[in-house]
Structure formats: C-alpha cells, structure tokens
Amino acid sequence: MAMKYQQGTVYLCGKKVKKWYGKYVIYGRDADGKEVRKYRNVAICPKAGNPKWKAEQLLREKILKECGMLAEMPAIPSDDSVTFRWFVKERYIPMRQGKWSPAYRKTNSYQLEHYLVSKFGDLPLKKLNSFQIQIFLNEMAAKGYSDSVVRSCFSNIRAITRMAKKHKYIAENPGEDVTMPQAKMAEKPVMTREQILALIGAIEDVHDLCLLCIGIFCGPRASEVMGLQWKSWTGDALLPHGTAYEGQFYNGRLKTKQSKTPIPVPERIRPVIESWRKLSKDSSPEALMFPTFGRGERKGQAVPRWGKNFLRWRIRPVSRKLGIPDRLVTFQVMRRTLGTDMQQHGTLKDTQGILRHASIKTTGDVYVQTIERSVLAAVNSRTSAVLGDWEMPNAELGLKGRTLKGPDAIWRSLAKPNGGEVVNC
C-alpha cells in the first residue's frame, strides 16, 4: 500500500473548557485485501495557552507516531501551484525547525505566519519578485513596526528565497537584492542602581531573592536560570546543564556552545544561594534549584517554573509598590543592565565572558548601552592626555590672514541672484 501524506485538521470543541481536537485518516486493508480508510478524532490540548499553530504541530506529531506518514514528503506540485504558503510550511519550516529552540520556534513560527504567509501566502512562488518584497518591508517600516520585527521579516524572506533557489523551485533569488529599510529602533531600557537596591531590599522570600540576585548579578537567560539544578552550583559558579521553557526541562540543550561555560557568581551573592539551599526541600544534585509543583499528569512532581509567571506573581507586585515599571522587571533587562554596567568595571571581553556570547559583536551592539557619563569621562581623559600642560592663552586671540564680513555684507551677498543686482524683498 502506498504511503499517503496528510496533515490532519484541528478544530475547537467544548462548552465549559475549550479544547483543540484533531481528525485524520488511518489507512488499512480489509479481509479481502481491499484498501479501506477510517477517520479518527483525537483530543490534542486545551485551548488556553495553546494557539492553533501549536495544536497543528502536536497533531502532526500524533500522525507521525501512529501512521508514520510524515516521513513521506508530498509530491511537488506543478509550478503554478507551488505557492509561498506551501513552500514555507512544507519545505522551509520542516528543514529549519530542527535547529530552533522551543522559544524561538514559537516566536518565529508566529512571525512567519502573521507577517509573511498572510501577505504572500497565495502567491505562486515563481511570481514573487524583489519589488514586491522591498515594498512590503518599506511599508512595514513606514507603519511604525520596530526594527526587530522588520529585520526578522527581512532575514526570513531572504532565507526562504535562498532555499527556494537552492532546491530549484525558482530560477532567480528575488530576495538577494532586497535591502533592510530604516525602521523605528526599539527601546532598550536598563535598571538604575537605586531601582535594583530598592527591589532586592523589598523581597522577603529567600527563594525569590536568590532567583532575582542570580538574574541581576549573573545575567543568565530566563530559560537558563529556570533550568538550573543543584549540581549546577559549584560554590563559586553556576554551570547550566539544560534549559527550561514553559514548564518543560530540556536536558543538555543550550543556545550556543559558549552558553555551556560556567557563570561566575559574585562573592556577595554566594551566601544568598547557600541560604536558599539550606531551606530548599530537595537539594540533591539532579533537583531543580527553583522548582514549582506540577499540574494534571505531573501533579505531585517538581517541575520548572515559567519565567513570566514568576515575575508576574512574585516580583512585579513588589516592584509596582516601589514605582518600578513592569517593562524593567524582565530577565532580558537584567541581562542588559549587567552588560551596560560592566563598562565601568571591566573590558568588553569581560562583558562577553559573563554574558557568554559566541560573538563579541552581539555583546557590543545589542547588550551594552552607552553611558553618557562614562563617555564624557573617557573623552575628558583623552583630551587631558593629549594637551598635557597646555593652557588657553589669557590674551584674546585676534584675527589674522582673513577678513570677517559683517551681517550687512553677508545679507547683500545672499540677496544677489547669480551675482546680479540686489533684490529688494
């Protein structure tokens, strides 16, 4: 029996609690050897917290597990029916998503669907041209989309067209000559020293204080700090062994090879970690440093916290009383603040080391923000080094070798069109 490719269909059902359900076809043979098929409907996941694209992905995994049909790629349609949507969903995403982290997969899949597929989805791939792409990007920038959103679309569309040409779906790459338009730069705020001191001074729970101090003074990513285990704590550093995203722990998965290096812990933060370890219910090596209780099938188990939930329910109620905006209470801002403050206490290479970036360009261009006082102090220092003992002469300097025209002469010169007579205005 030939393999049959199918994606299945997802739909909502339920009165009190909405859930995503899926339906697909199971193929087989009857007693006479004739091919028959049966329709199957299965529950996938609750609607709350699960967008449709995620339900579709889970359904595909169920089909693959039961039928093994996703291993067989669909036949390439004729040229006119190879649409942008078909290529993105059936070629680009399946080939690329293996390298995407769970967080990036969620964000990038949404941006591909919301911006690019919604715009070019029904367009035959061979009819996509550079003009259409450039106008689309220019319009996004003109509408006020941030630089990060426009740049993501710019990078994705170029990657899609490059893959399409490589696999001979199109003869020329229309994204090759597209340029990135000037877009609105997103704000990249940092926390002040006063805000940090006020926040950590108002925390009364040692668990919350420990997690917050690691975020502020060690600069791990949110997925890294939520995935820390007690075997990660060496006494003077934290060594990540995996990451946690939306309550799931991914053992051995980190963003880059550089992310596997130890995270130095300042000496004044080490007692905070030790205090939490003494009070922790389970401080065995494999136990999570900052667990929460599971629900549903994982009831009674210790599972990773959701970073957003921790900040929303444990930290932001405190920060709001102190007048600290919610946009400053994120692990991304804590990480950026650390990188920015490190300018005054070490080199750019030191900053790259604590943030564990694979490229120092990322450290300098994205995370380290300019400190005006630091720039002024640096330029004052350089000027003093160059001038040495030189002082401005006390006597007023005169004019030598040139004659300065008065205002009347300048006005008369400007009022003459092409050197002609003075024009009365």
Side-chain angles (χ1 to χ4, degrees):
M1 180 176 60
M3 297 289 288
K4 291 181 172 57
Y5 177 83
Q6 60 175 321
Q7 295 179 330
T9 304
V10 299
Y11 59 94
L12 283 173
C13 191
K15 294 183 178 179
K16 292 185 178 181
V17 179
K18 292 283 186 180
K19 283 188 176 183
W20 289 110
Y21 288 80
K23 59 181 180 180
Y24 55 96
V25 181
I26 298 177
Y27 294 89
R29 295 187 183 277
D30 59 14
D32 298 329
K34 185 179 179 180
E35 183 178 306
V36 294
R37 59 182 181 179
K38 297 180 179 180
Y39 290 94
R40 167 162 290 189
N41 291 270
V42 295
I44 303 175
C45 59
K47 180 181 183 297
N50 295 296
K52 185 177 180 180
W53 64 264
K54 187 173 181 180
E56 290 174 341
Q57 182 178 352
L58 293 173
L59 178 60
R60 289 190 182 191
E61 293 175 357
K62 285 181 178 291
I63 295 174
L64 174 62
K65 185 176 181 180
E66 182 169 356
C67 306
M69 294 182 182
L70 287 181
E72 181 73 16
M73 295 299 292
I76 300 174
S78 62
D79 288 344
D80 289 340
S81 60
V82 179
T83 62
F84 184 86
R85 175 182 284 105
W86 182 91
F87 183 80
V88 170
K89 292 190 174 183
E90 305 300 338
R91 289 296 186 267
Y92 180 74
I93 293 179
M95 292 185 69
R96 287 296 187 94
Q97 66 181 353
K99 298 178 64 176
W100 297 347
S101 68
Y104 183 74
R105 182 184 296 119
K106 180 178 180 179
T107 302
N108 203 41
S109 298
Y110 170 80
Q111 291 184 341
L112 284 168
E113 178 68 32
H114 187 71
Y115 298 112
L116 297 179
V117 174
S118 65
K119 175 66 177 180
F120 303 112
D122 298 326
L123 182 70
L125 194 60
K126 70 175 186 178
K127 294 184 179 180
L128 184 66
N129 58 57
S130 300
F131 179 78
Q132 293 170 311
I133 298 173
Q134 191 66 66
I135 293 301
F136 166 71
L137 294 174
N138 293 347
E139 288 178 349
M140 287 191 71
K143 290 177 181 178
Y145 284 96
S146 67
D147 180 83
S148 61
V149 172
V150 180
R151 190 170 297 279
S152 175
C153 292
F154 170 74
S155 300
N156 275 324
I157 194 73
R158 284 167 60 90
I160 290 168
T161 56
R162 185 166 55 248
M163 179 184 288
K165 181 185 176 183
K166 184 176 181 180
H167 292 272
K168 300 183 176 10
Y169 285 89
I170 53 179
E172 298 294 335
N173 180 4
E176 187 175 2
D177 297 327
V178 175
T179 59
M180 174 67 190
Q182 290 187 351
K184 181 179 67 176
M185 297 301 297
E187 184 184 6
K188 296 181 179 179
V190 296
M191 297 179 71
T192 64
R193 176 177 180 270
E194 292 73 21
Q195 289 171 332
I196 293 174
L197 289 175
L199 185 57
I200 62 177
I203 299 296
E204 299 179 351
D205 187 283
V206 66
H207 165 278
D208 298 350
L209 180 62
C210 181
L211 207 165
L212 192 62
C213 283
I214 290 175
I216 292 175
F217 298 104
C218 302
R221 301 174 180 91
S223 60
E224 293 171 344
V225 69
M226 294 304 170
L228 288 174
Q229 300 166 278
W230 281 114
K231 66 179 181 181
S232 303
W233 172 232
T234 65
D236 57 4
L238 292 165
L239 183 61
H241 293 280
T243 54
Y245 178 69
E246 292 188 347
Q248 296 291 334
F249 180 70
Y250 299 90
N251 188 30
R253 176 178 289 185
L254 294 162
K255 187 172 183 179
T256 63
K257 291 182 179 179
Q258 196 69 19
S259 302
K260 298 179 181 179
T261 58
I263 306 172
V265 177
E267 294 179 358
R268 297 185 63 179
I269 303 302
R270 297 172 191 174
V272 181
I273 299 178
E274 290 295 340
S275 297
W276 166 235
R277 184 168 67 170
K278 291 177 181 178
L279 294 176
S280 178
K281 292 182 179 180
D282 184 2
S283 59
S284 60
E286 297 296 328
L288 293 166
M289 288 182 65
F290 307 106
T292 187
F293 56 90
R295 299 177 183 274
E297 297 178 353
R298 300 190 297 174
K299 187 175 182 180
Q301 301 178 22
V303 299
R305 285 185 177 275
W306 288 41
K308 291 182 179 180
N309 287 349
F310 167 73
L311 295 174
R312 180 183 302 163
W313 302 112
R314 303 293 299 174
I315 304 301
R316 285 179 180 163
V318 178
S319 64
R320 287 169 183 166
K321 293 179 181 179
L322 299 171
I324 301 174
D326 286 354
R327 61 189 176 86
L328 295 182
V329 187
T330 69
F331 286 102
Q332 179 74 6
V333 170
M334 296 176 198
R335 187 169 165 83
R336 187 186 303 120
T337 302
L338 174 63
T340 300
D341 290 347
M342 281 289 291
Q343 293 179 82
Q344 304 178 65
H345 306 281
T347 65
L348 187 60
K349 201 68 179 176
D350 296 330
T351 307
Q352 181 191 9
I354 186 65
L355 298 180
R356 293 163 299 116
H357 287 142
S359 171
I360 199 169
K361 190 174 185 297
T362 303
T363 307
D365 293 348
V366 180
Y367 283 86
V368 177
Q369 304 297 300
T370 301
I371 302 177
E372 294 182 3
R373 296 190 305 274
S374 178
V375 174
L376 179 60
V379 76
N380 282 338
S381 176
R382 185 261 177 185
T383 304
S384 299
V386 171
L387 295 180
D389 297 332
W390 182 85
E391 294 289 344
M392 175 70 180
N394 293 329
E396 183 179 354
L397 296 178
L399 298 175
K400 184 177 180 180
R402 66 189 181 94
T403 302
L404 184 63
K405 293 183 179 181
D408 293 339
I410 295 175
W411 179 84
R412 287 195 300 271
S413 176
L414 293 175
K416 292 179 181 180
N418 299 326
E421 297 182 354
V422 176
V423 178
N424 294 325
C425 297

